[in-house]
Amino acid sequence: MMRLVQDWIPQQRWFGGKGRTITSVEEDSATIILDADPQVRLLVVRVGYDDGTSEHYQLLLASTKDAVEQRLEHALLGEHEGRLVYDAVHDPVASSALLDHLAGGHQVETLSFVNDAPIDADLPGRVLGAEQSNTSLVYGDALILKVFRRLQPGANPDIEVTKALADAGSPHVATPLAWYDGRVDGEVTTLGLLQPFLRGSSDGWSMATASVRDLFGEADLHADEVGGDFAGESERLGAATGEVHGLMRQVLPSATAGADESQATARQLNERLDAALLVVPELAEHADAMRASYDVVATRTAAVEVQRVHGDYHLGQVLRTQEGWVLLDFEGEPARPLSERRALMSPLRDVAGMLRSFDYAAQHLLAEQTVRPDLIYRAEEWATRNRNAFCDGYAAAVGADPREEAVLLRAFELDKAVYETVYEARNRPSWLRVPLASIGRLVGEAA
Ligand SMILES: Nc1ncnc2c1ncn2[C@@H]1O[C@H](COP(=O)(O)OP(=O)(O)O)[C@@H](O)[C@H]1O
Ligand SMILES: [Mg+2]
């Protein structure tokens, strides 16, 4: 069985070990959550790599004696002991079994299903197309269950933070309704989170890129003149972000840190740059200038307010509902260790993440076409306008303008852009010039 998993897992969108060689796949735990035909098992597997590291993943695998229906053929892993094995998230029978356990608050061996609200177990489930780091199941357009794929033993920041904010009455998160815990390496770990499905909402990335497309279509008009101007939304998003940060500071740990915090930050940014340089030689040209920016951070003596943050904040992590902006996915960057993702840090990291995302949204229609100077100018104008609107909204909500912390903010933006270059070099080399151009601009501003 693990042989089948080893061949199948590298092709999954959520698999984080791409580019590394798998040397082993072992079962950490396996629980039958539906004992019928198909039989559905929830597995935690440990994937070992040739560099000695390993990662845990959650799998839902179904097996059947019969032939699988045609619509499930794409989900097949292969045959094991005379039974066909497939990825169960695509089978409504399996998604129903999960919802049933959540609605009933069942204990199934070491799996604990817990609910905080009545759940309608009869809603039909389907897998959400827009898969990112995890797999989400949508039930009757009313509920969404996020099945965490990559697992790290211990408290999952997504449920921890979202629940703290929802309990404190924030209108900017989707309230956790139910969840299930299992064990990873013996430690209790949240494996899935059920929230209301925000029907009819649009994600920030689609809205922002639609606005950019409108602008390109109106060749003679400026960003503030076209119908699809996004600045009002950007400002509201900034305000929502500021309100969420403020509430996180109240209901989760926070601290005022001294100069050692700035030194540690500079050290961390330098280390990440060192690692990125090994993957992206094109960064070398800007390395000295970036390090100079990090040095300025290291010599900062002013206090830094640190707190829990979102950790992976960009336009794809926010939804615009009829009522306003909702922030999703407080998991942090799944590739980073849990201790780092739960660490207290400057909320400017999130601000920097969103500012980078505005740049990306502006550039993304241009990334794969031949350069057109008029459109590049338009794209930059759009990005500047929306970045400023976001900061205006944020400043109004928290009472302090992030742009006044220019040194720290720029260092965090550079760090994000460095991370993006690694991602692009590995996944979409033709896009590499987007973060590289931003790095050029940021170090130019600093000079
Ligand atoms: N409560 C929700 N209502 C509607 N859509 C949602 C909801 N939560 C997530 N989504 C959709 O699913 C996508 C992935 O969700 P997210 O929580 O960011 O998971 P991942 O860890 O896979 O990135 C989002 O970009 C959004 O489009
Ligand atoms: Mg996400």
Side-chain angles (χ1 to χ4, degrees):
M1 179 74 118
M2 290 302 112
R3 190 74 244 166
L4 292 181
V5 172
Q6 184 161 342
D7 292 338
W8 167 82
I9 207 167
Q11 290 120 48
Q12 305 312 304
R13 170 80 174 84
W14 40 261
F15 180 62
K18 296 198 177 76
R20 282 185 280 172
T21 306
I22 301 179
T23 50
S24 65
V25 179
E26 290 157 37
E27 194 178 284
D28 192 62
S29 67
T31 313
I32 296 173
I33 60 160
L34 179 65
D35 201 5
D37 196 347
Q39 185 188 69
V40 180
R41 294 200 301 163
L42 192 155
L43 294 109
V44 175
V45 297
R46 176 204 283 273
V47 178
Y49 301 101
D50 59 348
D51 60 5
T53 60
S54 65
E55 292 172 339
H56 288 95
Y57 288 93
Q58 176 179 192
L59 311 180
L60 284 157
L61 296 182
S63 68
T64 175
K65 295 197 295 289
D66 304 326
V68 300
E69 289 168 56
Q70 198 179 359
R71 67 190 168 84
L72 288 171
E73 276 173 7
H74 73 282
L76 270 178
L77 277 73
E79 203 183 309
H80 180 72
E81 293 175 351
R83 297 171 69 93
L84 289 172
V85 180
Y86 59 94
D87 183 2
V89 299
H90 298 281
D91 192 340
V93 174
S95 29
S96 275
L98 273 176
L99 191 62
D100 197 53
H101 289 312
L102 288 165
H106 298 158
Q107 180 77 32
V108 187
E109 295 177 31
T110 57
L111 298 179
S112 310
F113 294 84
V114 183
N115 61 60
D116 233 4
I119 308 293
D120 178 358
D122 294 330
L123 294 169
R126 64 178 167 89
V127 68
L128 188 76
E131 187 171 271
Q132 297 187 9
S133 317
N134 296 293
T135 299
S136 293
L137 300 170
V138 177
Y139 293 97
D141 273 1
L143 301 170
I144 181 165
L145 174 65
K146 174 143 107 170
V147 175
F148 295 106
R149 290 299 198 166
R150 169 110 186 256
L151 304 172
Q152 289 180 24
N156 181 315
D158 197 8
I159 179 158
E160 179 192 18
V161 176
T162 310
K163 194 164 183 333
L165 288 167
D167 288 349
S170 175
H172 299 301
V173 293
T175 307
L177 301 173
W179 51 93
Y180 62 99
D181 297 333
R183 281 171 192 278
V184 177
D185 261 355
E187 261 193 79
V188 174
T189 303
T190 300
L191 306 181
L193 173 60
L194 188 76
Q195 290 166 290
F197 182 72
L198 303 169
R199 205 176 330 172
S201 59
S202 311
D203 70 273
W205 176 256
S206 314
M207 290 176 72
T209 51
S211 161
V212 176
R213 204 175 302 118
D214 272 6
L215 177 63
F216 288 174
E218 299 278 2
D220 305 327
L221 296 175
H222 292 277
D224 56 347
E225 296 165 343
V226 294
D229 182 25
F230 194 61
E233 287 299 346
S234 298
E235 188 173 345
R236 279 188 283 278
L237 178 59
T241 307
E243 284 166 29
V244 167
H245 276 161
L247 195 55
M248 283 169 92
R249 200 154 42 235
Q250 281 176 32
V251 299
L252 292 161
S254 64
T256 304
D260 50 337
E261 171 73 21
S262 296
Q263 287 157 20
T265 299
R267 215 164 28 242
Q268 183 198 45
L269 302 188
N270 269 308
E271 280 165 15
R272 291 194 195 172
L273 177 55
D274 291 339
L277 279 162
L278 301 175
V279 185
V280 190
E282 292 88 340
L283 277 174
E285 177 192 348
H286 299 301
D288 289 344
M290 279 192 274
R291 292 199 201 280
S293 282
Y294 299 165
D295 286 347
V296 183
V297 173
T299 55
R300 242 183 81 104
T301 51
V304 190
E305 297 300 323
V306 292
Q307 61 168 97
R308 294 294 298 274
V309 301
H310 182 284
D312 186 19
Y313 201 44
H314 54 78
L315 284 162
Q317 305 279 43
V318 291
L319 289 178
R320 178 68 162 95
T321 70
Q322 239 153 48
E323 287 78 39
W325 286 101
V326 170
L327 282 54
L328 304 170
D329 202 1
F330 287 81
E331 223 192 337
E333 280 170 26
R336 302 235 193 258
L338 199 57
S339 58
E340 209 177 293
R341 287 153 51 191
R342 296 184 68 219
L344 305 189
M345 53 185 95
S346 165
L348 291 177
R349 297 222 192 213
D350 286 344
V351 173
M354 193 53 81
L355 295 183
R356 290 294 313 128
S357 198
F358 281 116
D359 250 8
Y360 250 77
Q363 297 289 334
H364 108 286
L365 291 175
L366 304 175
E368 272 161 3
Q369 36 181 290
T370 44
V371 181
R372 273 191 46 194
D374 58 326
L375 292 188
I376 289 179
Y377 176 79
R378 281 304 151 95
E380 279 168 7
E381 192 182 50
W382 185 95
T384 304
R385 176 173 171 77
N386 286 284
R387 287 158 56 95
N388 279 325
F390 179 84
C391 289
D392 289 344
Y394 190 90
V398 306
D401 193 324
R403 287 162 294 195
E404 280 165 18
E405 284 279 13
V407 167
L408 210 47
L409 188 58
R410 189 179 305 118
F412 290 144
E413 277 198 76
L414 282 169
D415 179 55
K416 288 277 173 196
V418 166
Y419 174 86
E420 290 156 11
T421 62
V422 174
Y423 177 86
E424 301 300 6
R426 288 198 173 130
N427 295 284
R428 298 183 297 194
S430 67
W431 283 56
L432 189 54
R433 69 179 171 84
V434 172
L436 281 176
S438 303
I439 290 172
R441 175 178 60 76
L442 287 162
V443 296
E445 283 173 11

